[in-house]
Amino acid sequence: MKRFKRPFYSVMALTVAIGLAACTSDEPDENTGGNSDGGEATGEGGDLVIAMQSEISGFDPHQVNDVPSGHVQNQVYEGLVAFDEEMNIEERLAESYKAEDNTLTFKLREGIEFHDGTPFNAEAVKTNIERITDEDIASQRAFLFEEITEINVLDEYEIEFVTEEPFAPLIYSFAHSGGNMISPAVIEEDYAAMEDGEQPFTAVNANPAGTGYFKYESGGIGTEIVLSKNEDYWGETALLDTVTFKVVPDGNTRVAEISTGDSHVTEPLDVSAIPQLESTEGASMLETQSISASYFGFNTEKEPFDNSDVRRAIAMAIDNEVILDNIWEGHGIVANGPIAPGVVGYDESIEPIEFDPEGAKELLEEAGVENLSISLSTNDSEARMDIATYIESALSDIGINVTINSSDFPTYLEATANGEHEMYILGWSSATGDADYALAPLFHTDNHGSPGNRSFYSNPELDQLLDDAAKEIDEAARADMYKEAQEIIVNDAPVVFSYYQEYLNGVRDEVKGFKRSMTGDILLQEVYIEQ
C-alpha cells in the first residue's frame, strides 16, 4: 500500500471539532497585542513588520512545508476550505462541499481572480491538484491527495474528486495548506521553465500569485519580503496596507526591534528573551496553545543508531523536564508520546522512556558501545541551540562525546531530508488534528526524507498497523491501533518527543487583532495598527 494515506472516517469529524474546541480556553487572553476585549478588530491601515527568526524556503505551497514559508504563503494563497482557530472546517474558495460515498464535490465561489488576473474556477482547481500529485514535480505534499483516482470538472464552478473507496478525510487534506491554490498561468510558466532545464517551483517562487487577502510585492528567499493588501479580494479585505517579513535570527535583537518600533511582532519570541520583553514598554507576550511537539531523533540508517538499544540509552540520559522547565521555562507540557493533547489519538496512558542515566550506561554496555562520538544537527534557532547544548552536556555524563552542527533552516531541512545527519532536533505539528497525520509522515517507511521521516525509520509491523488504522471505521478500534502504534514508536525510539509547546510571540500594543491558530498559522486578515 502506498503511503501517505490519511483516512478519517465520518464520525470522527465531529470528534475532532469537539476535542480540539475543548482544548481552547474560554478565558479571555490578556496578551493579544492590545485587543484584550476579545472582540473583532476594527479599524484599518498600517504597515506591519514581523521579525522572523528564519528565512523562508520558498513561496510555492506545493514545494515546502516548513513553518517560516507557511507564514508567508498563507497570506498569499487560499484553499477551497480551511481550518478555523479551533480546527473546524470552514468554506473558503468553495462556497459548499458534499462528501458522498467515494466522491467529494465542491461548489466554488464565482467571480474570484488570482492576483495576476487569471480566473479562479474548476479548471484552476484541477490544474493545482494534478500538479501537486505530478511525480515530475516531486511535491513534499503530494501524499495529501494521492488517494484521488479521478478529477471531474462538472461545470465552470463545480468539481468532483473520486477515490477508489469511501475516503471521508479527503476534506481535511483540502483544508491543509498543501491544498492552497496557485494561479494556473504561473503553473504553466513553471512547467515551461522545467522544459528549459529549470528546477520545479522556479517560476512560482519568482512570481507567487494566489487569491489571498495579501499579494506579493517584493523580496525573496534570503531577503526581506513585502506583501501588500489585495484591494480586489473577494471577501472582506485586509485592514493592513502592507506586511513585511524581516529575517532577524537573534532572539534578543528581535525584541530590541519591538522596543524601538522597527518591528511590531517577534516570530517567535525566544524564552530567554521574555525578561527583555517584559521590561519593554508598550509590548506584551502572546501565548497560544498548539498541537505542535518538539523532538530529537536519530538517523536509523547510520550506525550505531540502527540499534534501538543505543537510541533508548541516549533517550534515558536526557531529561525532558529539564528541557521544558529550564530551556522553555515551562511554556508547554512534557511529552509522553508522539501525539499531542488536542489531537485525535492522544493517549495519556502512553508511558515515555524514563530519565535514567545509570540505566543508560548499562544499556550502552550491553549493546557493546563505548567511546561513542556523535554529531547532533540543528538549525540556528536559539531554543534549539540551547536544547542541543543541554543534550551535549547530558550525554557527556554517560561517556558520549557530542559535536553540535548548526545551519540556517532551509539548509538544515535539505540536509536532514537527504540523510546527511546522525542525531537531530526538530518539531512537528499535527496540522489536520488526527493521529494518522501525527504518525505516518514521521514513521511510515514510504515517507523517508522530506515528507517527514527524517529518521529514515522502517518497521513493517508499524507500517501495517498505520495502514490498517487509517482504514478503520470503528472509533474504539482505531484508538487501540494508534495506542499500539505509539507504544511501538516509544519503545523503538527513532524519535523521542520532549514537550508539546506553546507558541510565543512578542507584540507591540498598537497592533490589534493579532492571533495564531492551534496549528501555528499567523492570522492577519483582521489585524491593524492603531494610530
Side-chain angles (χ1 to χ4, degrees):
M1 175 182 288
K2 186 177 180 182
R3 293 292 291 166
F4 175 81
K5 290 182 181 292
R6 195 174 50 84
F8 244 102
Y9 41 96
S10 300
V11 70
M12 286 302 294
L14 181 60
T15 306
V16 172
I18 294 173
L20 288 173
C23 293
T24 305
S25 173
D26 290 329
E27 295 296 322
D29 193 334
E30 295 180 356
N31 300 305
T32 54
N35 191 29
S36 58
D37 63 359
E40 184 177 345
T42 57
E44 58 182 281
D47 300 299
L48 185 75
V49 180
I50 300 176
M52 297 262 285
Q53 174 181 273
S54 303
E55 65 185 72
I56 70 170
S57 299
F59 286 111
D60 193 329
H62 299 171
Q63 176 189 11
V64 293
N65 59 5
D66 62 276
V67 171
S69 298
H71 287 330
V72 176
Q73 292 170 6
N74 291 337
Q75 316 308 321
V76 174
Y77 304 103
E78 297 174 295
L80 305 187
V81 292
F83 293 110
D84 66 14
E85 293 174 60
E86 285 77 39
M87 294 291 290
N88 301 309
I89 295 286
E90 63 180 8
E91 290 82 0
R92 190 64 60 86
L93 293 176
E95 64 178 28
S96 64
Y97 64 90
K98 180 174 66 174
E100 189 174 38
D101 296 328
N102 63 331
T103 64
L104 176 61
T105 305
F106 291 95
K107 183 67 176 175
L108 308 178
R109 298 184 191 274
E110 300 183 18
I112 297 175
E113 291 185 348
F114 289 91
H115 298 153
D116 60 359
T118 303
F120 169 75
N121 51 31
E123 287 290 348
V125 175
K126 184 174 186 287
T127 297
N128 272 265
I129 301 306
E130 287 180 338
R131 177 187 189 245
I132 198 172
T133 55
D134 185 345
E135 292 183 358
D136 291 337
I137 294 293
S139 170
Q140 296 182 22
R141 291 169 158 182
F143 63 82
L144 290 165
F145 304 102
E146 68 179 9
E147 292 293 337
I148 295 171
T149 58
E150 189 177 326
I151 304 176
N152 299 314
V153 174
L154 303 181
D155 63 34
E156 187 174 5
Y157 295 105
E158 189 170 12
I159 189 167
E160 174 188 77
F161 296 92
V162 182
T163 55
E164 187 174 342
E165 55 187 349
F167 190 65
L170 187 58
I171 188 64
Y172 288 85
S173 292
F174 278 99
H176 189 280
S177 60
N180 282 342
M181 296 288 124
I182 303 169
S183 166
V186 179
I187 289 176
E188 184 177 346
E189 291 174 13
D190 201 69
Y191 275 113
M194 290 171 61
E195 290 179 359
D196 291 337
E198 298 286 351
Q199 292 296 312
F201 317 115
T202 299
V204 180
N205 282 323
N207 182 30
T211 61
Y213 36 80
F214 289 102
K215 59 184 180 180
Y216 173 74
E217 184 76 25
S218 64
I221 299 170
T223 66
E224 184 173 283
I225 296 168
V226 180
L227 308 179
S228 60
K229 182 197 301 190
N230 177 12
E231 299 285 1
D232 299 318
Y233 184 63
W234 59 268
E236 292 291 329
T237 58
L239 303 178
L240 292 167
D241 297 309
T242 65
V243 180
T244 298
F245 294 87
K246 179 195 298 188
V247 179
V248 183
D250 181 72
N252 290 324
T253 305
R254 289 197 295 276
V255 175
E257 290 253 334
I258 294 290
S259 177
T260 61
D262 291 331
S263 293
H264 299 96
V265 177
T266 65
E267 171 37 34
L269 171 65
D270 287 346
V271 171
S272 62
I274 291 177
Q276 182 184 355
L277 180 71
E278 290 176 339
S279 64
T280 298
E281 185 176 352
S284 60
M285 180 171 68
L286 172 66
E287 300 176 78
T288 307
Q289 182 182 349
S290 83
I291 53 174
S292 295
S294 176
Y295 66 83
F296 57 87
F298 310 90
N299 186 337
T300 63
E301 292 186 333
K302 293 185 176 181
E303 295 183 349
F305 307 113
D306 57 345
N307 185 333
S308 61
D309 285 341
V310 174
R311 301 194 297 263
R312 279 194 299 273
I314 291 175
M316 291 165 66
I318 297 170
D319 190 343
N320 288 324
E321 290 192 6
V322 168
I323 293 177
L324 177 63
D325 293 340
N326 293 3
I327 297 174
W328 208 243
E329 294 192 4
H331 292 284
I333 305 170
V334 173
N336 69 323
I339 300 180
V343 177
V344 172
Y346 170 72
D347 192 323
E348 63 181 7
S349 72
I350 300 296
E351 295 184 3
I353 294 174
E354 295 292 336
F355 175 59
D356 182 3
E358 293 306 313
K361 293 178 184 178
E362 294 174 5
L363 196 54
L364 285 176
E365 185 177 348
E366 292 171 5
V369 175
E370 57 183 359
N371 300 321
L372 180 60
S373 294
I374 67 175
S375 171
L376 173 60
S377 299
T378 185
N379 65 299
D380 48 13
S381 147
E382 181 175 345
R384 285 184 180 155
M385 285 298 298
D386 287 345
I387 293 172
T389 301
Y390 164 70
I391 290 176
E392 177 187 27
S393 174
L395 295 189
S396 69
D397 291 342
I398 63 168
I400 297 177
N401 179 62
V402 175
T403 299
I404 299 173
N405 294 318
S406 67
S407 59
D408 63 84
F409 198 49
T411 301
Y412 177 58
L413 287 177
E414 182 177 0
T416 52
N418 294 332
E420 301 168 9
H421 61 288
E422 293 183 345
M423 188 174 173
Y424 68 111
I425 302 170
L426 259 177
W428 184 257
S429 177
S430 304
T432 61
D434 75 290
D436 200 52
Y437 193 89
L439 301 181
L442 295 184
F443 304 107
H444 198 288
T445 301
D446 286 352
N447 293 320
H448 281 183
S450 58
N453 188 346
R454 297 169 192 264
S455 59
F456 294 86
Y457 174 67
S458 183
N459 182 330
E461 178 188 1
L462 180 66
D463 289 346
Q464 188 62 57
L465 187 59
L466 292 175
D467 289 339
D468 291 343
K471 296 182 294 183
E472 179 57 59
I473 296 176
D474 181 81
E475 181 177 350
R478 178 173 286 220
D480 289 341
M481 289 180 177
Y482 283 129
K483 179 178 181 179
E484 183 180 352
Q486 291 180 81
E487 289 171 342
I488 291 172
I489 292 164
V490 170
N491 183 64
D492 273 2
V495 159
V496 179
F497 286 81
S498 299
Y499 59 90
Y500 312 124
Q501 69 183 80
E502 290 180 343
Y503 299 122
L504 305 179
N505 296 97
V507 185
R508 286 189 60 86
D509 289 349
E510 64 265 28
V511 177
K512 306 301 181 182
F514 182 87
K515 294 179 289 188
R516 300 284 296 271
S517 70
M518 293 179 69
T519 59
D521 292 340
I522 292 176
L523 308 176
L524 296 181
Q525 187 176 17
E526 297 179 351
V527 175
Y528 68 100
I529 298 174
E530 188 174 65
Q531 302 299 322

